[in-house]
Amino acid sequence: MSSLSDLSPTERQLVAGKAVDDLGSDRDDHVLLQVRCGRSHHVATVFDTALGAVYESLVGQHAHGQRDFIDEAHHAGRHGTRYTDILRGDRFSDDLVPAYCECGMHELSRTELGHAIDAHRHMIQLT
């Protein structure tokens, strides 16, 4: 495989998604950081993978949390789109990454997420 810095944004996202998938059923044991909104909806997660820290979020309307079900009568067919990327951006990566919860769209800073991990925080509550 070529260097991560040689990958296009789309390739980086695919490689990041595979790294999270490779964690298998033990992925919860590899959580570095969780992000929740002010109403405690799940917004995003950062996992420790073989590639390093990988960011994952569902973008678009979806259930509040991993164990919640989408209210089909209101959101039929809207399950969100998985967005993954290597947290450590390269010189071409935007600092902001997309996220979503039932409260709406969010943009999170890669730098701030990295600082939270460095400070050994396990949860960020958005205000």
Side-chain angles (χ1 to χ4, degrees):
M1 178 170 89
S2 63
S3 164
L4 293 176
S5 62
D6 294 335
L7 300 176
S8 71
T10 301
E11 291 169 330
R12 282 173 48 97
Q13 292 169 13
L14 290 172
V15 168
K18 180 167 178 356
V20 172
D21 292 343
D22 287 347
L23 296 175
S25 61
D26 296 329
R27 69 188 252 152
D28 289 344
D29 296 337
H30 297 274
V31 172
L32 291 173
L33 182 68
Q34 290 188 7
V35 181
R36 298 200 178 276
C37 76
R39 291 185 174 170
S40 294
H41 298 149
H42 175 78
V43 175
T45 305
V46 179
F47 293 96
D48 184 19
T49 72
L51 294 177
V54 171
Y55 172 86
E56 178 184 59
S57 180
L58 288 181
V59 180
Q61 294 191 352
H62 58 280
H64 294 194
Q66 292 177 333
R67 293 189 175 101
D68 293 338
F69 296 100
I70 296 170
D71 184 354
E72 292 296 336
H74 298 288
H75 304 293
R78 296 183 189 171
H79 298 279
T81 301
R82 182 183 187 204
Y83 177 88
T84 57
D85 199 359
I86 300 165
L87 185 62
R88 179 187 72 249
D90 59 20
R91 61 185 175 161
F92 301 111
S93 300
D94 289 332
D95 183 53
L96 298 178
V97 289
Y100 184 90
C101 75
E102 290 299 314
C103 297
M105 192 71 186
H106 303 276
E107 289 185 319
L108 306 175
S109 166
R110 293 175 195 264
T111 304
E112 290 179 21
L113 294 171
H115 289 315
I117 292 168
D118 292 343
H120 303 287
R121 292 180 61 194
H122 299 286
M123 169 98 48
I124 292 178
Q125 189 83 28
L126 302 177
T127 55

